Amino acid sequence: MFDYNNIRLQYISPTWLPGTIQAAMLRLDLLHGAVSGNKWFKLQCNVAAAKAQGREHIVTFGGAYSNHLAATAAACQLLGIRCTAVVRGAAAPELSHTLQLAQQQGMRLHFVTREAYRDKETTDWTSLFPNAYIVPEGGHNAAGAKGCEEILPLKDCSAFTHILCAVGTGTTLAGLINSAQPQQQLKGYVVLKGASYLEHEVRSLLLRDQSPQWELVHEHHGGGYAKVKPELIAFMNQFYEETQIPLDIVYTGKLVQGFKKDLESGVFPPGSRVLLIHSGGLQGNLSLKPGELSY
Ligand SMILES: *Cc1c(COP(=O)(O)O)cnc(C)c1O
């Protein structure tokens, strides 16, 4: 159903990449049309746990533009599992394209107030959804990180000196840290503004004390979560022209743009071999006006 052979390791040479530095993208976005990128990796162990516990209903959480809800809806449809999304805020008169698609794929939408959503971690959802398996918002749990340990072994990634990914909840980064070589350096480019709690969130999912070196980069959120400046769009269009790789506006666009800025500030020494994780999320580009992106 999910063919990992679709995933490619693609070397890139955009005009702004110095000749002394190698860079490649691990194209998780090619995994599957509807369940693309890191979201399937975060879901796989959760789905297996739900099955092992005999639960036939998955309940998870997100906002109206959540890639996690989109991927969960598509995966559950493919796997024949019932699923419900607890959605933040009242239903808008016209649902977002993400929620419309999720609903068409059989996901039930349960709207709650922002206050109730904020308390979701301490709410007993099984009284409302008996025998359901609960996947936290963004797939942020130990099973989510465990599934992401399978990303780096997909290809021979051992020669890269740096591994870079976009960070929302930090679950993907934690799985990468847990499965990287001890000499590799990991950098998570945070797409939220002022998200200093993330260091703790990542650390809580790490398996070893002596993990490879890692850090969160907080300077390249580009104005905050899902904020899109014209320079980001121009950068993404140019990157597509030069590499034929489509990026998304919320995560991977900011990751690659942040990488370029860090290159310009000399963060990566000559001889660095940098792996960028393309975590997918391209469905998020549908919220742009047609024609803004060249792809
Ligand atoms: C959700 C998402 C992320 C964030 O992953 P976390 O594990 O929550 O840090 C990164 N990239 C894309 C494309 C995503 O959709």
Side-chain angles (χ1 to χ4, degrees):
M1 185 169 339
F2 297 108
D3 186 356
Y4 293 160
N5 291 318
N6 292 340
I7 293 170
R8 283 173 35 216
L9 184 65
Q10 183 175 348
Y11 281 83
I12 55 171
S13 46
T15 45
W16 44 263
L17 186 72
T20 54
I21 289 176
Q22 266 184 22
M25 285 202 102
L26 186 58
R27 300 281 312 272
L28 305 183
D29 58 307
L30 299 173
L31 175 62
H32 185 277
V35 194
S36 79
N38 62 340
K39 295 295 184 284
W40 167 247
F41 289 91
K42 292 200 276 188
L43 280 171
Q44 58 177 350
C45 294
N46 279 299
V47 168
K51 284 211 167 143
Q53 295 170 18
R55 312 207 186 193
E56 276 152 12
H57 183 194
I58 285 183
V59 173
T60 194
F61 306 84
Y65 298 95
S66 163
N67 287 339
H68 168 67
L69 292 188
T72 305
C76 286
Q77 186 183 41
L78 287 165
L79 298 165
I81 306 171
R82 194 151 69 89
C83 69
T84 299
V86 175
V87 186
R88 180 182 54 224
E94 194 181 348
L95 292 182
S96 69
H97 61 84
T98 303
L99 293 182
Q100 282 182 34
L101 190 63
Q103 206 171 38
Q104 284 160 20
Q105 287 165 321
M107 182 177 247
R108 289 227 230 125
L109 305 180
H110 179 82
F111 291 91
V112 297
T113 63
R114 285 172 186 271
E115 292 71 36
Y117 191 86
R118 204 178 304 129
D119 295 338
K120 62 189 173 307
E121 258 101 75
T122 50
T123 304
D124 176 18
W125 293 101
T126 52
S127 59
L128 197 56
F129 306 113
N131 203 31
Y133 180 92
I134 307 291
V135 177
E137 181 184 48
H140 180 58
N141 60 8
K146 183 166 176 44
C148 294
E149 289 175 29
E150 289 184 27
I151 294 172
L152 293 176
L154 290 170
K155 302 284 168 195
D156 182 4
C157 296
S158 57
F160 291 101
T161 55
H162 298 77
I163 298 169
L164 277 48
C165 72
V167 167
T169 65
T171 315
T172 305
L173 176 65
L176 295 172
I177 296 169
N178 286 337
S179 56
Q181 310 281 323
Q183 76 283 4
Q184 292 178 315
Q185 289 186 42
L186 291 99
K187 281 176 176 295
Y189 285 70
V190 179
V191 302
L192 302 109
K193 184 153 81 181
S196 52
Y197 60 89
L198 278 171
E199 261 80 9
H200 171 79
E201 294 297 329
V202 173
R203 203 167 295 118
S204 71
L205 294 174
L206 297 185
L207 297 175
R208 302 167 281 182
D209 292 336
Q210 290 295 328
S211 32
Q213 268 188 30
W214 63 276
E215 68 173 324
L216 293 176
V217 182
H218 287 283
E219 289 76 46
H220 301 306
H221 52 68
Y225 185 75
K227 296 280 186 299
V228 180
K229 294 184 180 170
E231 64 172 81
L232 176 68
I233 300 289
F235 173 78
M236 290 166 59
N237 280 332
Q238 194 204 340
F239 187 75
Y240 182 75
E241 204 173 291
E242 294 180 348
T243 64
Q244 304 299 304
I245 299 178
L247 301 173
D248 81 289
I249 47 175
V250 180
Y251 294 99
T252 56
K254 291 181 179 178
L255 164 68
V256 182
Q257 193 184 36
F259 171 50
K260 173 175 181 273
K261 289 184 179 166
D262 277 352
L263 278 171
E264 288 160 1
S265 344
V267 168
F268 297 93
S272 297
R273 292 183 296 275
V274 182
L275 178 66
L276 298 119
I277 306 296
H278 194 317
S279 39
L282 296 169
Q283 70 97 19
N285 291 346
L286 293 172
S287 63
L288 293 174
K289 290 189 214 71
E292 274 191 88
L293 286 171
S294 58
Y295 50 87

